[in-house]
Amino acid sequence: MNSPAAETTVQTRQPSDAFPALTSEELEAVKRRGRTMPCQEGDVLFSVGDRPLDCVVVLQGTLEIIDVSGDEPRIIVEHGPGEFTGEIGTLTGRPAIAECRAKTDGEVVRLTSTEMRQLMIEVNSLGEKWVIAFLRRRELLETSGTFEGMRIFGEPSDPATLQLREFLHRNGVPHRWMDMSLDSVRENFREFCGDCALPLVAWGRAKMFENPSLSEIANLTCVHRPMPVEMVDTVIIGSGPAGLGAAVYAASEGLETLVLDRLGPGGQAGSSSRIENYAGFPEGISGGALALRSYVQALKFGALFSIPCTVDRITTDADGTHLITTTAGETARTRTVIISTGVSYRELTVQGLDTLRGSGVYYSATQVEAVLCQERPIHIIGAGNSAGQAAMFLSKFTPHVRLVVRGGSLKKSMSSYLSERVEANSRIQILLETELRGVHGTSCLDGVTLENTAEGRTYDDASSGIFIFIGAKPCTDFLGDRVRRDERGFVLTGSDVIDGWPVPGRQPLPLETSVPGIFAAGDCRSRTTKRVAFAVGDGALAVTCVHDLLGTYV
């Protein structure tokens, strides 16, 4: 492993916040909690696939973290005295994605994820160092371009490949897309797999799955966790800003918390390329990065996540216990439920859009979709902040961005700072009083038909991608008739459900629905302001309501 070729791949020791050293006081706390043990040169402390994954703190000697997924082993980084191994997967209970080997004789302390979380609470400085380091290491891993890891072979126009990449991206699973439209990738694919079905998931030259379901990938990567057998204090359905906010507050305040989501942390906000008006981030932050930070924060306090998980129904026993059943037949028992399923963008009624979904028609604008349209013309449908943020983000990948706006001005529906920025961007062409009338293409999008409604003129335009950000509908259909909703499907809460309230002598709590013990928060709730900060606050208020109901307020 110590060949000269491998040694040339050691990362530069930058930035320092990704690789901090623990102080002597912090090391003493680690030794009190963990297991101190010697190691000898060449010892493997953990291998790819090992789980649960320990955090290893170096007291003496040097450890190497090695990527063994490529054709040749490559050293990712070395850790010396006072430093520690790990990244976000250490907290999530996922398997190791690299190998850890002792470069020299030495001494280390091993910590389980449970022991780490306990230390994070007991020693604030440790919690700060670990969380920041894990986040930065994940960022470096994803942007380095050298880490192989899991490889996804697929065509750029294949919806199944896009769905798989979006799932892995949303859940922070390091992977590399192998574009099968490139001759070099097709040749490499044929050498080790021949006529395998796409998308193909591989590790190095080892085939793992052909055209897998999300459930299969979730089980492989341990993103999906089994439902707890025992009853929990609260189950949060949906992990957008409201659900993540609720998870952070619930878990940090001692409630046994389970979070269910059909795709992964972030919700609709997770597809936002840049949020610049969220308090505390003057430089702006992507929706995905904000969701990742909240997700890690909830994990730090002990919240459990199970993804992908689609709720089929919620039933309630005579004693008030709620039983949540998923479409896969799994069940969870809980004392309370927080519904934070958010909203989804409305679909246009243009013929052909549905058949091209994932093959040129998209409802999010992240790195996953952006790389499919580099240097090619694209069209963004919408005039709100999400559309404006998508236009700014996608303009980094192509100079041919057309923003299709039904009205005569951006300022009516877009924040002032954002509309001015969009208007000043020379790579964005704003098409006012214009609507999408048709799409062209069979296996993938080739072009669009647009109508300038002011002039009554219809014309065709080349396009490699349509990004749709119009309106929103609540994701509440699974609730059936038990939970009352308004005429648009948004969940009614508090004073809106007093009429017919079934509990004598007690009024519904502010975010309680028509079913006692079931609460709603965020964009899926009636009369809410569709803002990330509001959703996070709503999630926190939902937890306060849970405490009030259970008598556990801290």
Side-chain angles (χ1 to χ4, degrees), residues 237-243 261 267-269 339-345 472-478 489-491 521-525 528 530 535:
I237 305 175
S239 62
D261 196 279
Q268 192 182 63
I339 300 165
S340 54
T341 44
V343 297
S344 61
Y345 289 114
K473 59 180 181 180
C475 301
T476 57
D477 290 346
F478 72 97
F490 292 92
V491 178
D523 289 1
C524 70
R525 188 169 73 84
T528 58
K530 306 302 184 279

Side-chain angles (χ1 to χ4, degrees), residues 35-47:
R35 291 147 294 144
T36 302
M37 57 191 299
C39 60
Q40 296 181 328
E41 179 182 352
D43 284 352
V44 175
L45 279 72
F46 56 77
S47 301

